Amino acid sequence: MKQNIHFLTSLFILLFFGNLNISAQSEQDSVKPVDESKLPSKKRVIEDSAYFASNPFTDYNEAYYQVNRLNDQVGLPPKGFNLRTPQAALEHFVLKSRSGKYDEALFALNLNLLPQNTSKEDAAILAEKLYFVINQRVNIDWDALSDRPDGQIDISTTTNQAIAGKPRRSVVFGEVQLGERDIVMRVQRIRYKEYGALWLISANTVENIEDLYQEYGPRKLDKMMPEWSRVHFLGFQVWKFLGIALLLVMAWFFGKLVTYLLRKILRKSKRNWIKHIANKLAKPAGILFGTLFFYILLDNLISLSGGFANIVYTTLIVLIIGSITWFITRFVDYLMTYIAENKIGDVSEEENEEARKMLTYISVARRIVTFLVVVIGGYIIISQFRALEKVGISLLASAGVATVILGIAAQNTLGNIFAGLQIAITKPVRVGDTVIINDDWGNVEEIGFTYMVVRTWDLRRLVVPLKYVISNIFENWSMTSSHQIRPIILYADYRVDVSKIRSEFEKLLKNEDDWDQENPAVVEVVDMTEESVKLRALCSAKDAKTTWQLHCSLREKLVAYISQLEDGIYLSRTRVDISTPPHEKDYTDKSTSGKKE
């Protein structure tokens, strides 16, 4: 509950202050707010069956488009209108439209692709529609628009010298998405006959006005609200502010309802896995459907303008994509966990190699799928921001310093991720394997994205980077088989009868239930020291843990046997000879006889 309230509060603050910031930026050049109640309807003013003239373009010229006709429907622009530069042409259109003078704003449009019977009134309506779309969806970067007739951007240098360049005859001032394609809005330099070249909003942009207005025109509530509710506060109509707040509350309750219903429906299922997954998926599903509910209602009921619309809709799309990504990752995580816990055998038994292999595959696959889902979701989110998308493309396409720094910084992380893929393919270690790393003995408990967790015999946890596992030598006692042979080392006196110890060891081994009988009882003299001989007895069992227990038990019994054998005379011992050597004895005797004389 608290998390949902925090989510709605954060979204509301973002919407409010985003609008506050944009209103402050646009207040300086604002002339008159758009009155949605007086906007034209979405009915088309251009009929598809109308008569269209032939292609107006003639000879090619890199400085401008040469045409043999220009706006025959309304005539050439009056001489008093300044359309000589890209910035001047767009300023003329925007300022005239803000003042409600659409009959003058239309002269900044290139109508050559419209039917010949288009009236001046229809052209004015098109100008009004285009202005509404621009006001709703386009942030014009006026600094990027040239104020030179040739369309070039002035570039200053340290030497204060002019930089030569090619003239531009087409300049982009906006981009709006329409269905599956992007409509690029341009101003183009046109020359008609012997008249001077002038800049107009391109004919292709004008041709798409009707479709853009159908998509982004006024919403249902825009024309229904009474006049008193259209009071502006901080450049934002009060009724829209209250409407968005109301829609947020409705979306919150709708999300809570979806969460409740989903949990209730899933918990009634007869399948246990569906019951368990209810808590995992209910919350992200509630946020997803609540956000979709808010997005659909807002898009159909309230129209937002300018940069504020971009912030709101981009934020909602990010939330929707994030919710879908969260939903998928939670579902994949639970599905893999359910399969690992219910469809795979006990991996604690080392001889169950197939189960350990499948658990390793599932462990790595879960993280790979999660990683891919997050990467794809992140890419889609970044693609909603044009600037970030261009930055990402430039970083990938160039070998700049930023790319190098990023590669160096992520070297270890990427190395561990690729090491995880290599482990999944080559299988040098699997979940449940018994390994020795840096003299620590334990079992592989988990193989993550970038690290491996080893549970030692004393219940410590070693977190080992996967890059270390691939690059360094370590012991894997379960790689090919869990079966293991362990030596029992004993030291006994030189006089011991090894055959008796061998017979006793065979008897002891046959009485042990842990012995797997795959290897015979072996007792050998493998070395000797100044004080004893070194005996090695070999025992085997099904896995490392069982072999260790068998090894300790047999060693204890063998030590007890040697200690009891002939009262322990065969235990290793240190011998000290205290007898007098013969030559020292003769010297001592002579000394004694001399004294007597």
Side-chain angles (χ1 to χ4, degrees), residues 535-556:
L535 304 177
R536 183 181 68 185
L538 301 179
C539 62
S540 64
K542 62 179 181 179
D543 55 46
K545 182 179 180 180
T546 306
T547 306
W548 173 259
Q549 294 173 348
L550 177 62
H551 155 271
C552 293
S553 175
L554 290 174
R555 180 168 53 188
E556 179 183 346

Side-chain angles (χ1 to χ4, degrees), residues 355-423:
R356 292 189 290 110
K357 181 173 69 175
M358 289 301 300
L359 184 60
T360 302
Y361 283 146
I362 290 175
S363 179
V364 175
R366 177 175 63 180
R367 284 156 179 81
I368 291 176
V369 172
T370 302
F371 176 75
L372 292 177
V373 170
V374 172
V375 168
I376 294 172
Y379 172 77
I380 296 175
I381 290 175
I382 290 176
S383 67
Q384 303 304 312
F385 301 90
R386 301 287 182 184
L388 291 181
E389 184 180 22
K390 293 177 181 177
V391 169
I393 293 174
S394 64
L395 285 177
L396 292 175
S398 66
V401 177
T403 308
V404 174
I405 294 175
L406 181 63
I408 294 175
Q411 182 179 7
N412 289 332
T413 302
L414 294 176
N416 285 320
I417 292 175
F418 286 117
L421 297 177
Q422 188 174 349
I423 288 174

